[in-house]
Amino acid sequence: MAKFRLIPESETVNQLQFMCPGCNQIHALNTTWTFNNNFDKPSVMPSVLVSDGVGGKLLCHSFITDGNIQFLDDCTHKLKGKTVELPDIDV
């Protein structure tokens, strides 16, 4: 199975989605990220920063390289500072 899925938003705009094992939520990227077009071993640039916007209770900051997700030290979840393989996502 793939680690990323592509969701068309319009004829010209797509969204990439992945399951974050730190947040246990799906995170989405738009076309401003550089993507290597490998859905099984995705890499994106720059880093991915997700916040709930509610007092900073959730912050997820990571790099995704070759199908692995490296969580940075400013994350607020249990995988802070760790690198793990991205889980598969239903496409």
Side-chain angles (χ1 to χ4, degrees):
M1 290 188 78
K3 307 214 180 286
F4 269 32
R5 69 179 170 205
L6 183 67
I7 306 295
E9 291 184 357
S10 71
E11 288 184 27
T12 59
V13 177
N14 293 315
Q15 183 182 87
L16 291 166
Q17 295 182 343
F18 65 94
M19 175 56 75
C20 174
C23 298
N24 293 315
Q25 296 177 4
I26 291 176
H27 293 333
L29 308 174
N30 61 30
T31 55
T32 61
W33 273 264
T34 301
F35 173 49
N36 69 347
N37 291 312
N38 186 334
F39 289 85
D40 297 319
K41 290 194 173 211
S43 293
V44 297
M45 287 295 290
S47 64
V48 179
L49 179 62
V50 177
S51 174
D52 64 5
V54 183
K57 291 181 181 177
L58 170 68
L59 181 70
C60 184
H61 194 190
S62 63
F63 286 106
I64 297 174
T65 308
D66 295 326
N68 294 307
I69 185 165
Q70 175 191 0
F71 294 105
L72 303 178
D73 287 333
D74 57 351
C75 292
T76 57
H77 54 63
K78 64 184 178 186
L79 293 179
K80 166 184 174 175
K82 299 191 182 318
T83 299
V84 299
E85 185 177 355
L86 277 171
D88 291 332
I89 191 168
D90 292 329
V91 283

